[in-house]
Amino acid sequence: MKILVADDLLDNRYLLESALKSSGYDVVTASDGREALDILHIAPVDMIISDILMPNMDGFQFCREVKKDRKLRKIPFIFYTASYTSPEDKRFGLGIGADSYIVKPVQPGDFLEIVEGLLKGKDRIMPCEAVLKEIPTEEYLRDYCSRVFNQLERKISELEEKNQALLRSESALKNSERKFYELFNNISEAVFMQKVGFRGERSSFIEVNDTACRRLGYSRDELLGMNTSDINRDYLKKDSEKISELKENGRINFEALHLRKDGSAFPVDVTARLFKMGDDEYIVSLARDLTKEKESRVRESEALERIEDNLIQLSILNDEIRNPLAVITGIACIEESEGSKEILNQVDKINNIIRRLDKGWLESAKIRNYLMKYHGFSDDGEEI
Amino acid sequence: MKLLIVDDNKMLVEIYTTGLMERGFEVIYSISGSECLNILKKEIPDIILMDIMMPCMDGWETLMEIRSNPVTKNIPVLMLTAKALTIEDINDYGDYIDGFLIKPFTLDGLSERIHDFNNKRQEYLDIVSEAHKICSDSVKVDEWAELGREFYVIKNLVSVFEDEYGELFRDSSIKTGLPDILDRIMGKCRKRGEIFFELTDELGLSGILPEEFRDNTICITRSG
């Protein structure tokens, strides 16, 4: 038994061919109705299975041609389609003489059963003269056009839907890109991105944010041509060590001095991360400006010095009061009179005040020590 | 009992000299650190009362000179001062002084303090001579006696500090913790006590050490 399969898609043809061949049928294939007709005129087959939507000559036209041909009209004809799926389509297909109309998807077993069933009853298939008579050319053309037109409309609306989805995802992508662009350019850290070369060296900057440009005084285009050594004053030859540390830990953190375009330098705290994109490795570095922090440290240490001076003055004053107080006490003891007891009372009161001052002084000294210990100042206000 | 007063305040020296002599002390005085050192070349007092804030050579300097001279190094020195006692003072000079008295004092009060100190010292010296009778290793006993003296001095200084400023460090509203230096002093003091008591047992002297001398507790401790 030989079956002709007509389908414009190679994958579909292949699928049908292997399914049929494995059931013991011979198979010839054509990629449209025209080619299929040519094959039929050379050698007849026992069955035709045809797709509908094909170039040059579609399945409907092909079927009509077969059924008009006296030599071919007895060959059982099956429509096998995924695109013409409405009841009207099916009615039209069967109306022009097809013996079966199968809408994809269908189980291979069911499909083969239909094929087999049709082949068995092959001799019982009526010639289609009556059918042909009932459908005059004009009517056929009108219905055919309406089928094709429907199909086109559906295709167009499908395309339109796909197009809309594409537009939606494109706009989502744009929004997301915009969001990250704003984040990237508005964070207070300067961001630099570099590629890692195959010898482990850094490329010139491939991306920088607005903050980086503003801080360093360069335009974006200027910065993109530059490298770490151009903006890092203490850039050492040891950068390869930094990179290997990066590769080991994924991130590193260090302090550095960055150079502006005008040559001035400012302190920064840099956090660098390594990441992979495709087969390449990249370094993204975030530099935080430490200028204000350092300035406030200097101010703090100056304030600390003032506190220190005041503390010394206070302790000297206390001592200076105690000596005359000791003299007064002594005199009151030696020249014992009615008033001396009261004098000693008063001295006691003053002494208590001085002791309170002492406590205040000690408390302040304690706070000063605390500041030195936990805020990283040594006695001279230098950072430890 | 012969006292040497060292103070640059002439009037105070005069008052203390008069007042203490009236109370039965023999008193000599000097009004500067260098004068004090000169006097010590001729006379050895039982106790020195030393001011701290003095021009030229201050009390601490004079103290260190006294301690570095073999003839004078064992004379007890009480700092009689207008300066508040600080933990830095304890840390720096705790090993060299014998007491710390903060002015002002009434003459009776001062006299009483000196007697108190002398009695305690005498009591300790008696214990030491008793120890010499019990234990024949006199080098070891002298070593033990010095260790004990150092321990008691620091312990005493800490308790003076505790009396004056203890609340400041324990209940301070500002949570700045205890200064490290105070921690070190406490540690040093405790360690000394341990070593001293160990040596006491080792030399078989625990029987002659009265209960009050066996107390190793230090008051100021870290809160939390």
Side-chain angles (χ1 to χ4, degrees):
Chain A
M1 291 280 181
K2 197 193 217 173
I3 299 175
L4 169 66
V5 171
D7 198 313
D8 57 331
L9 296 178
L10 180 70
D11 287 350
N12 291 350
R13 282 203 302 273
Y14 177 75
L15 254 161
L16 268 183
E17 190 178 348
S18 35
L20 293 168
K21 273 185 172 163
S22 67
S23 297
Y25 300 110
D26 288 337
V27 179
V28 283
T29 62
S31 60
D32 60 46
R34 174 77 51 220
E35 201 184 318
L37 268 183
D38 290 346
I39 290 171
L40 288 176
H41 286 137
I42 295 164
V45 297
D46 300 297
M47 174 175 274
I48 300 166
I49 301 173
S50 176
D51 182 27
I52 298 172
L53 191 67
M54 292 183 292
N56 300 325
M57 179 187 277
D58 73 1
F60 289 140
Q61 285 173 293
F62 173 45
C63 180
R64 187 163 166 85
E65 288 305 319
V66 168
K67 295 301 174 188
K68 275 204 298 197
D69 192 314
R70 289 185 174 277
K71 278 187 273 180
L72 301 177
R73 61 170 52 148
K74 276 187 156 182
I75 303 171
F77 195 106
I78 299 177
F79 278 127
Y80 187 52
T81 177
S83 40
Y84 287 85
T85 56
S86 73
E88 289 79 17
D89 292 332
K90 185 170 183 177
R91 202 178 305 129
F92 177 73
L94 294 173
I96 58 171
D99 303 286
S100 185
Y101 195 101
I102 303 172
V103 172
K104 288 183 200 174
V106 69
Q107 292 295 319
D110 296 345
F111 180 79
L112 287 170
E113 211 170 281
I114 294 170
V115 171
E116 206 177 314
L118 275 176
L119 282 173
K120 266 184 196 158
K122 187 178 151 190
D123 297 334
R124 291 200 310 274
I125 286 177
M126 294 292 295
C128 290
E129 256 165 330
V131 176
L132 286 171
K133 262 180 203 159
E134 278 169 30
I135 307 174
T137 306
E138 206 174 292
E139 197 182 321
Y140 161 77
L141 280 175
R142 196 191 61 220
D143 286 352
Y144 172 69
C145 279
S146 122
R147 291 301 95 223
V148 172
F149 183 73
N150 273 347
Q151 179 59 23
L152 265 176
E153 254 190 344
R154 205 156 59 226
K155 282 278 165 196
I156 286 170
S157 88
E158 259 175 45
L159 268 177
E160 185 65 17
E161 223 167 79
K162 276 183 186 159
N163 203 22
Q164 286 297 329
L166 204 65
L167 282 174
R168 275 198 301 277
S169 74
E170 201 171 285
S171 125
L173 200 66
K174 258 188 191 158
N175 283 343
S176 144
E177 203 168 275
R178 170 84 192 178
K179 203 163 66 191
F180 284 110
Y181 175 85
E182 290 298 331
L183 276 175
F184 182 64
N185 283 311
N186 286 304
I187 56 170
S188 56
E189 279 93 354
V191 182
F192 307 90
M193 203 180 284
Q194 285 159 299
K195 200 170 156 181
V196 183
F198 65 94
R199 282 191 307 272
E201 80 287 3
R202 298 172 194 246
S203 73
S204 53
F205 301 124
I206 55 167
E207 191 57 82
V208 292
N209 70 349
D210 288 353
T211 311
C213 302
R214 205 171 52 242
R215 287 248 169 89
L216 296 169
Y218 290 105
S219 72
R220 191 181 130 85
D221 288 341
E222 280 173 321
L223 260 184
L224 288 182
M226 294 166 69
N227 204 320
T228 312
S229 53
D230 300 318
I231 61 154
N232 192 336
R233 203 178 75 175
D234 302 320
Y235 181 77
L236 300 169
K237 293 279 177 284
K238 285 191 294 186
D239 196 51
S240 57
E241 277 176 29
K242 269 191 183 131
I243 295 195
S244 47
E245 197 186 330
L246 250 177
K247 286 191 174 175
E248 203 169 301
N249 302 326
R251 67 184 297 154
I252 52 168
N253 185 269
F254 55 92
E255 280 194 17
L257 276 175
H258 273 184
L259 280 175
R260 295 190 188 90
K261 192 179 182 179
D262 64 15
S264 58
F266 62 101
V268 287
D269 178 86
V270 182
T271 302
R273 282 187 70 95
L274 193 75
F275 69 96
K276 271 197 160 183
M277 201 155 65
D279 289 332
D280 296 317
E281 282 181 315
Y282 295 85
I283 298 172
V284 61
S285 306
L286 276 81
R288 186 162 56 90
D289 189 349
L290 292 179
T291 310
K292 285 218 171 85
E293 264 174 57
K294 298 256 174 182
E295 274 170 7
S296 83
R297 276 191 171 274
V298 170
R299 275 200 302 278
E300 272 178 47
S301 77
E302 278 168 6
L304 209 62
E305 260 170 57
R306 293 282 298 280
I307 293 174
E308 188 74 32
D309 287 348
N310 288 344
L311 285 175
I312 291 168
Q313 282 307 313
L314 192 61
S315 77
I316 291 172
L317 278 182
N318 280 8
D319 296 342
E320 283 178 352
I321 298 169
R322 274 209 182 93
N323 269 320
L325 220 52
V327 172
I328 292 168
T329 312
I331 291 173
C333 291
I334 288 170
E335 294 170 4
E336 251 182 282
S337 63
E338 279 178 28
S340 55
K341 205 175 170 194
E342 187 49 36
I343 290 174
L344 290 178
N345 260 339
Q346 296 301 322
V347 167
D348 223 27
K349 280 185 187 163
I350 297 173
N351 195 35
N352 277 333
I353 294 171
I354 300 169
R355 284 173 65 179
R356 262 154 48 203
L357 285 172
D358 266 348
K359 280 182 192 171
W361 170 62
L362 272 163
E363 175 103 51
S364 306
K366 200 173 83 154
I367 295 166
R368 175 208 53 194
N369 290 342
Y370 175 80
L371 279 176
M372 285 178 180
K373 185 174 166 190
Y374 292 101
H375 289 236
F377 293 111
S378 62
D379 283 318
D380 50 9
E382 284 287 307
E383 247 184 281
I384 294 172
Chain B
M1 199 192 308
K2 193 198 276 183
L3 306 175
L4 170 57
I5 298 175
V6 189
D7 200 316
D8 63 317
N9 187 324
K10 279 177 194 151
M11 192 169 241
L12 196 61
V13 168
E14 225 168 82
I15 291 163
Y16 282 167
T17 306
T18 315
L20 289 172
M21 280 170 88
E22 274 174 11
R23 282 159 183 78
F25 292 95
E26 190 186 332
V27 183
I28 48 178
Y29 65 84
S30 61
I31 53 165
S32 75
S34 54
E35 197 190 341
C36 158
L37 294 178
N38 276 331
I39 288 173
L40 287 175
K41 283 174 189 161
K42 292 168 283 180
E43 280 184 87
I44 300 295
D46 294 305
I47 297 169
I48 298 172
L49 301 174
M50 178 80 71
D51 187 22
I52 294 174
M53 311 272 257
M54 293 187 291
C56 299
M57 182 186 258
D58 73 7
W60 295 128
E61 252 181 278
T62 315
L63 169 77
M64 296 318 280
E65 284 295 324
I66 292 169
R67 289 291 178 247
S68 61
N69 181 344
V71 182
T72 57
K73 70 171 185 177
N74 286 323
I75 305 171
V77 176
L78 300 178
M79 306 310 282
L80 177 60
T81 174
K83 193 182 165 301
L85 175 65
T86 65
I87 46 175
E88 284 81 8
D89 294 338
I90 300 177
N91 191 52
D92 295 345
Y93 301 106
D95 291 344
Y96 308 104
I97 65 176
D98 295 270
F100 201 96
L101 307 174
I102 300 168
K103 296 170 189 174
F105 280 108
T106 62
L107 291 170
D108 286 338
L110 182 58
S111 156
E112 199 183 311
R113 289 300 189 97
I114 295 167
H115 278 303
D116 279 353
F117 170 76
N118 197 49
N119 291 343
K120 249 312 183 274
R121 175 176 154 80
Q122 213 52 58
E123 196 186 341
Y124 189 67
L125 289 177
D126 289 347
I127 293 170
V128 172
S129 63
E130 188 72 21
H132 274 292
K133 283 182 208 158
I134 293 171
C135 183
S136 56
D137 190 345
S138 68
V139 177
K140 207 84 191 230
V141 171
D142 282 339
E143 201 182 295
W144 167 80
E146 180 56 20
L147 216 57
R149 192 194 65 80
E150 282 174 0
F151 166 61
Y152 292 124
V153 167
I154 294 254
K155 188 162 138 62
N156 188 40
L157 286 176
V158 170
S159 84
V160 170
F161 190 80
E162 165 88 9
D163 288 346
E164 293 280 327
Y165 315 110
E167 63 188 285
L168 197 69
F169 286 90
R170 270 198 312 274
D171 316 318
S172 171
S173 57
I174 297 164
K175 305 289 183 203
T176 45
L178 278 178
D180 292 344
I181 192 168
L182 189 59
D183 233 24
R184 279 208 298 278
I185 293 167
M186 299 292 145
K188 189 158 89 178
C189 189
R190 262 183 229 109
K191 190 86 202 153
R192 276 189 186 171
E194 275 169 33
I195 295 171
F196 175 62
F197 294 134
E198 261 174 41
L199 199 56
T200 307
D201 293 339
E202 193 187 313
L203 298 176
L205 301 171
S206 42
I208 57 167
L209 213 55
E211 199 54 42
E212 56 171 318
F213 280 88
R214 303 212 54 130
D215 185 10
N216 194 21
T217 47
I218 305 298
C219 304
I220 302 174
T221 47
R222 265 192 201 282
S223 50

